[in-house]
Amino acid sequence: EQSDAANLLGASWLLVTEHREQAIQVLKGLAVSQDRQIAFLAETQLWRTQVPIATEATITSWEKMLQRMPAPLRAGPFHLLGQALWRTGRKQDAMIAWMRVPLQYPRHRLLAAESLLSAARRYQEMEKRDQATTLYRELTIGYPGTIAAQAAQDQLKTLLDK
């Protein structure tokens, strides 16, 4: 009943609470808003609920939406796209999506750090130690004070102790 922006923010936070279903309904309503920015942001918040079940068709629709979306709104959607791409086995595309966030949207510090952490962890899973180490170092140097940087520091210590 407040502004669309306030409803978007509130529903986004409530997605991970017991009010998830209500939040989804609010976001679905906002996704058809006349305000294109609100509509894009609401739709991509809904992606958060779909990452675990995203199919190739879902990913294709997300990629098309990203092309229509104003560039300043793409940081979060690229991070989520990376998660879905990884889950469906498109590992190289996932890495590209994650790396776009710190490269193209460095002002989104927390999200850029989380995207770097996602990429570094996946390199580590693929036993690409050098790439993982490089990204973990980038995180600790470029994003000090973030939760992702602390996680990177812990992982870096583990890698270097081996």
Side-chain angles (χ1 to χ4, degrees):
E1 296 179 17
Q2 300 169 356
S3 72
D4 283 351
N7 285 331
L8 174 65
L9 186 61
S12 299
W13 279 98
L14 291 174
L15 272 179
V16 295
T17 71
E18 68 274 6
H19 302 290
R20 177 185 174 89
E21 290 307 316
Q22 183 181 0
I24 289 171
Q25 292 310 311
V26 170
L27 290 169
K28 284 181 178 179
L30 292 171
V32 295
S33 172
Q34 295 297 321
D35 182 332
R36 286 185 60 218
Q37 287 189 346
I38 293 289
F40 280 127
L41 291 170
E43 182 65 35
T44 55
Q45 283 298 314
L46 289 167
W47 292 7
R48 293 171 51 203
T49 67
Q50 298 170 356
V51 166
I53 59 170
T55 63
E56 279 299 323
T58 304
I59 290 170
T60 299
S61 73
W62 291 1
E63 290 169 327
K64 287 178 183 175
M65 179 182 274
L66 267 165
Q67 291 172 358
R68 294 189 328 267
M69 190 178 294
L73 302 181
R74 294 179 185 169
F78 274 124
H79 181 75
L80 293 171
L81 179 65
Q83 291 176 343
L85 288 165
W86 184 267
R87 200 192 64 67
T88 59
R90 291 175 54 189
K91 295 178 179 187
Q92 190 62 35
D93 291 336
M95 292 297 197
I96 291 168
W98 281 322
M99 293 307 295
R100 289 182 80 155
V101 180
L103 293 172
Q104 294 180 325
Y105 307 96
R107 291 180 50 187
H108 294 270
R109 283 185 42 75
L110 296 178
L111 191 56
E114 288 298 327
S115 291
L116 278 172
L117 183 61
S118 293
R121 284 179 170 162
R122 295 332 179 277
Y123 275 133
Q124 190 173 355
E125 286 173 16
M126 294 188 298
E127 298 182 11
K128 294 187 176 188
R129 188 174 190 266
D130 291 343
Q131 292 92 331
T133 301
T134 298
L135 292 182
Y136 286 139
R137 283 190 175 126
E138 169 82 18
L139 256 165
T140 59
I141 294 166
Y143 300 89
T146 64
I147 294 170
Q150 182 60 52
Q153 191 170 16
D154 294 344
Q155 288 301 315
L156 201 52
K157 185 177 182 329
T158 300
L159 280 173
L160 297 177
D161 286 347
K162 288 185 177 179

